């Protein structure tokens, strides 16, 4: 019994000594609250559509969700429309709008890169199928109202059911059901946030 007590006391002393040594091993002289802050995920780079698709297995390409910093990096502040797969999901397509409510351009994330899209001119858009068409050769995206025969006429849409169709040249055509949210009010940046530009 005496041997067991001596042994546990030696173990306790060894543990205490190692904790004291470890406590003095910090190489940083800065207090914990002065250490550099961990940053969020890196914002994707903006590249041309052809570069974003380089090396991609085209049949598996999908529109990826974007966070607010990525959208702000690509689009000017102002009113916009966002297409989401779900009502609470992150946007997979974001479009800026001109003061007259027409689409000015947009951004998507493909293969880990942001791709800028131009609004189709009236001669390139098919008015019979929908109001929104965005282009970045070889990519074309059409956003159509979910209900047949209807059009996006409201200046401020909230959770309107819609379909987005992604075309990559002649190699891929895939449709997505989701929701379109548009607002005439400019998107605001909170005082503590950065624009990502």
């Amino acid at each position: 019994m005496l041997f067991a007590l001596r042994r546990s006391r030696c173990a306790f002393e060894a543990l205490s000594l190692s904790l004291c040594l470890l406590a003095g091993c910090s190489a940083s002289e800065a207090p914990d609250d002065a250490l550099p802050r961990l940053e969020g995920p890196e914002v994707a780079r903006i590249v041309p559509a052809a570069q974003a698709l380089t090396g991609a297995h085209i049949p598996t390409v999908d529109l990826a969700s974007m966070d607010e910093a990525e959208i702000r990096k690509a689009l000017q502040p102002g009113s916009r429309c966002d297409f989401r797969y779900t009502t609470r999901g992150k946007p997979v397509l974001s479009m800026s709008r001109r003061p007259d409510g027409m689409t000015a351009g947009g951004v998507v994330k493909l293969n880990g890169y942001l791709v800028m899209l131009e609004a189709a001119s009236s001669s390139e858009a098919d008015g019979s199928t929908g109001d929104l068409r965005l282009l970045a050769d070889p990519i074309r995206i059409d956003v159509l109202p979910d209900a047949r025969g209807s059009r996006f006429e409201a200046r401020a849409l909230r959770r309107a059911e819609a379909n987005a169709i992604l075309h990559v040249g002649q190699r891929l055509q895939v449709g997505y059901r989701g929701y379109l949210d548009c607002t005439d009010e400019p998107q605001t940046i909170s005082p503590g946030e950065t624009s990502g530009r």
Side-chain angles (χ1 to χ4, degrees), residues 7-177:
R7 191 171 174 187
S8 65
R9 183 174 178 205
C10 286
F12 177 75
E13 288 175 359
L15 179 62
S16 297
L17 179 62
S18 61
L19 289 175
C20 288
L21 289 174
L22 287 175
C25 288
S26 175
S28 174
E29 298 294 322
D32 289 342
D33 59 351
L35 294 175
R37 215 177 61 176
L38 292 177
E39 299 297 323
E42 186 176 322
V43 175
R45 289 186 314 137
I46 298 173
V47 300
Q51 183 179 342
L53 296 172
T54 301
H57 183 55
I58 299 299
T60 63
V61 169
D62 273 320
L63 301 176
S65 61
M66 299 176 288
D67 60 31
E68 212 40 52
E70 291 172 319
I71 295 168
R72 286 191 196 118
K73 179 178 183 177
L75 301 179
Q76 295 293 322
S79 64
R80 71 178 206 225
C81 293
D82 294 325
F83 178 84
R84 297 173 169 82
Y85 295 138
T86 64
T87 56
R88 294 184 186 262
K90 292 181 178 181
V92 296
L93 167 65
S94 191
M95 300 163 280
S96 59
R97 298 192 331 163
R98 299 189 314 232
D100 64 2
M102 299 299 291
T103 303
V107 63
V108 291
K109 189 174 183 181
L110 294 171
N111 202 25
Y113 297 101
L114 298 176
V115 175
M116 299 297 297
L117 304 162
E118 294 180 9
S121 67
S122 57
S123 63
E124 293 171 309
D126 181 359
S128 65
T129 59
D131 292 343
L132 306 173
R133 176 170 284 178
L134 298 145
L135 308 165
D137 192 38
I139 295 169
R140 184 180 93 220
I141 298 176
D142 293 310
V143 182
L144 314 168
D146 190 44
R148 290 184 181 259
S150 64
R151 296 178 57 84
F152 295 127
E153 293 182 16
R155 288 182 59 87
L157 296 170
R158 292 314 237 169
R159 294 190 181 127
E161 291 184 14
N163 298 302
I165 302 169
L166 168 66
H167 303 265
V168 179
Q170 300 297 317
R171 299 167 59 192
L172 177 70
Q173 177 178 332
V174 62
Y176 307 93
R177 290 184 66 113

